[in-house]
Amino acid sequence: MTNVPPSPTTAPLPRIIQGGMGVAISDWGLAQAVSRTGQLGVVSGTGIDNVLVRRLQDGDPGGHVRRALAHYPDQDAAAAALKTYFLPEGRAPEQPYKRVPLPSIANHRTAWNLAVMGGFVEVWLAREGHDNPVGVNLLTKLQMHTLPSLYGAVLAGVDTVIMGAGIPREIPGVLDNFARGLPGSVRLDVKGAEGSGPLLTFDPAEYGFGGVTLARPKFYPIVTSHVLAGVLARKASGSIEGFIIEGPTAGGHNAPPRGQVTYDELGQPVYGERDVADLGEMRKLGLPFWLAGSYGSPEAMQSALDQGAAGVQLGTLFAFCADSGMRDELRTRVQRRAHEDRLTVFTDPLASPTGFPFKVAQLPGTLAEEELYQARTRICDIGYLREAAEVEGKVVLRCPAEPVDAFLSKGGKLESTVGRKCLCNALMADAGYAQIQKGGLMELPLVTSGDSIADVPKWPEGYSAADVIETLLAGVRGAALSV
Ligand SMILES: Cc1cc2nc3c(=O)[nH]c(=O)nc-3n(C[C@H](O)[C@H](O)[C@H](O)COP(=O)(O)O)c2cc1C
């Protein structure tokens, strides 16, 4: 086993956290660019197993994945992954990607092995060449996939773990265990089950990491309300070091409005006073917090600091900057349309199979176009957003965006399938890893963005992550203290 350097834990708190953006929008390149400035760069651990094997099948341009894998503590596993997936010349033009086998509750060994490796590679690369902290973001709801990616990130010395999209009560304890070399578990939520669901356990020893002790990262849950923050601070399975408080204008998934949901004339959920976290209550918790959702200007950032926040978490501005993992052609189209004031963002209550509202940039040529969405043949070949449900005494995994017959055969309801989009394939396409399906059909992208897309035209085409950070910090009183 090679030694992985411990992560720094005593660095001052960042003023700016670059929010985790899956799939591979906040890739190692973006996170490294941000962390090099002394602010917190965060890689996305979502879908990282497929990202790893797709990069290898594209010939691993620049040799980055192979460079990181050369430092992976289990060299036999790294060699096996290279043998199965690496194509030195890349794929032929019509050649589909070889997929990671879909994990099931009983059998997930291959997928989990690759997820550990993927999490390791992403964090290792983001940390390469500097000593500043790097974070990882994961979605709590993706219970079948979280533990191994998390372990891989911890193995590579990640400094901070940031998780929302669900209530990550079990994660702090998992991090404690992983640091001590012990197994970590989460209980699978099973729809319609009488009792509690099965326990999903990642045991480092079973994956070749027996006896390895590691630095325990900080944990920042993403919450929308001070109430949830209070519950987590009191009842989580281990320590929490801070909070991200995300409002409904933020990019990606949003929490649904509290109480009875109403919709505007376009069909978007309407948020109100009850959806605003009480920062007075947050301050009483005594933990640092960062505000997210349209904080990408010096004025907004100053207001966050004035209200007691340690800083802000930004997504949209970083997603469309030159350092992000978004494929170039897509980023350019987004920027041009935003500059022409022809790009709107729709908070779609149906698009995400999770049932959470999901922000969608209305960009032509993507699945935001109804015709293109309707023309796509449904397939579930990645499976991250599958939910567990109990049907006739058995636990099944199903996705409302999978082929309708398959979903119905697993006890799903027809109305749950309406308007659901395959985010797994679409978000892979956003980052340049579009699958070629049967008949040569290429999966199309679907771009998510916060409402602050309206701020993008204020930046010159080709702006960098460092430009964003420099401009924001220069406009804020006392910000220099943090770097
Ligand atoms: C393209 C994009 C993808 C995102 N993906 C994720 C994600 O995978 N996990 C997550 O917790 N937040 C995700 N977010 C939210 C960001 O991490 C961040 O909290 C949010 O964008 C902040 O608001 P802003 O967009 O107004 O800056 C995403 C945001 C964007 C723009």
Side-chain angles (χ1 to χ4, degrees), residues 45-55 85 100-101 103 110-119 145 148-149 382 384 428:
T46 302
I48 207 66
D49 46 350
N50 272 292
V51 168
L52 172 82
V53 305
R54 291 184 185 201
R55 284 179 183 151
Y85 294 103
V100 172
T110 308
W112 280 24
N113 230 331
L114 291 166
V116 178
M117 221 176 283
H145 306 268
S149 324
I382 299 181
Y384 296 130
M428 285 282 167

Side-chain angles (χ1 to χ4, degrees), residues 17-26 42 44-46 137-140 162-165 222 244-254 291-296 312-320 326 358-359 427 430 446-453 455:
I17 297 178
Q18 161 257 305
M21 296 180 282
V23 170
I25 298 300
S26 63
V42 177
S44 170
T46 302
N137 172 275
L138 284 157
L139 302 176
T140 310
I162 301 180
M163 287 177 65
I222 305 172
I244 311 292
I245 306 172
E246 198 180 68
T249 65
H253 283 96
N254 301 135
L291 301 185
S294 307
Y295 283 92
V312 297
Q313 172 169 290
L314 308 179
T316 299
L317 272 185
F318 285 124
F320 302 118
M326 183 170 290
F358 187 70
K359 286 232 168 24
L427 298 191
D430 290 353
L446 181 73
V447 176
T448 181
S449 165
D451 291 343
S452 59
I453 187 81
D455 291 337

Side-chain angles (χ1 to χ4, degrees), residues 463-481:
Y463 69 93
S464 68
D467 292 339
V468 172
I469 291 165
E470 197 185 318
T471 306
L472 261 59
L473 292 184
V476 166
R477 291 191 304 278
L481 293 176

Side-chain angles (χ1 to χ4, degrees), residues 63-77:
H64 306 300
V65 174
R66 282 166 293 158
R67 193 167 70 253
L69 281 180
H71 294 264
Y72 192 59
D74 183 347
Q75 281 299 301
D76 291 344

Side-chain angles (χ1 to χ4, degrees), residues 392-405:
E392 292 164 6
K394 271 180 138 177
V395 179
V396 296
L397 296 175
R398 65 187 189 198
C399 177
E402 74 180 319
V404 174
D405 289 352

